[in-house]
Amino acid sequence: MLAGILLLAVATWLWFTMLSPWYYQRPPDLAPVADGPHQVFVYGTLRYAPIRFVVMGTSGSPEAASLGGYRRCGLNIAPITIPSVTTKPAPDSLINGLVLEVSALELARLDRYERLGVRYTRRQITLQDDTPAWVYRRLASKAPAGEAIGCPGSDTIDRPI
């Protein structure tokens, strides 16, 4: 009986967080999701198939990928720059993750999961293999107090695009 109640509570929480119309409203100033397919680079919880299945309803056909010139900082990624007058990314910086090919509906579901415009912004980047892909980066102005957003000396995203 207790296991059934716990399972129902988890299912309710997942529905409320991922699918319900009450928990997240896409900000009206964001552009609509363009028809796909889209490539998305994931480096955190979305690397795990069960999470992707709950969020998107599919595993997204993941392939290993790397993003050069960046490093992870808490819930964010930030470009690493060579300490000089230039702001070129350092060649030895690398984040390993997955690239997913998703439809417009799946990208909208990912936007909902990442709280696009509320917690994260979605930016186009180029992966190590020259594949263009979307990546989610934390919004500095929307983070809880005391949460690390970027790495010292990195650019921080202040507004959604």
Side-chain angles (χ1 to χ4, degrees):
M1 179 72 165
L2 182 60
I5 292 172
L6 183 60
L7 183 62
L8 181 62
V10 168
T12 301
W13 178 81
L14 286 172
W15 175 82
F16 186 74
T17 303
M18 304 297 168
L19 301 173
S20 80
W22 300 296
Y23 193 64
Y24 168 76
Q25 295 297 319
R26 184 181 181 89
D29 59 325
L30 296 179
V33 176
D35 289 336
H38 299 273
Q39 304 290 324
V40 180
F41 178 74
V42 296
Y43 55 90
T45 58
L46 288 168
R47 290 178 298 155
Y48 304 106
I51 303 287
R52 289 192 311 271
F53 188 78
V54 168
V55 171
M56 301 186 316
T58 180
S59 68
S61 303
E63 292 185 23
S66 297
L67 175 61
Y70 286 79
R71 64 181 162 177
R72 284 189 65 174
C73 298
L75 298 175
N76 196 18
I77 61 171
I80 298 176
T81 55
I82 299 169
S84 68
V85 293
T86 181
T87 58
K88 290 185 178 179
D92 60 341
S93 55
L94 191 70
I95 298 174
N96 292 314
L98 300 172
V99 66
L100 311 173
E101 185 170 316
V102 299
S103 68
L105 176 61
E106 292 163 344
L107 184 61
R109 288 178 177 170
L110 289 172
D111 288 351
R112 176 186 182 77
Y113 176 73
E114 298 291 2
R115 304 296 186 253
L116 185 68
V118 175
R119 274 198 257 159
Y120 287 87
T121 185
R122 182 169 26 92
R123 299 281 175 116
Q124 190 79 37
I125 47 101
T126 302
L127 301 175
Q128 280 293 99
D129 64 359
D130 292 325
T131 301
W134 291 111
V135 67
Y136 292 94
R137 294 200 50 208
R138 190 80 165 160
L139 289 167
S141 60
K142 303 294 183 176
E147 181 178 299
I149 298 303
C151 301
S154 68
D155 72 334
T156 332
I157 304 299
D158 290 322
R159 60 182 182 78
I161 289 184

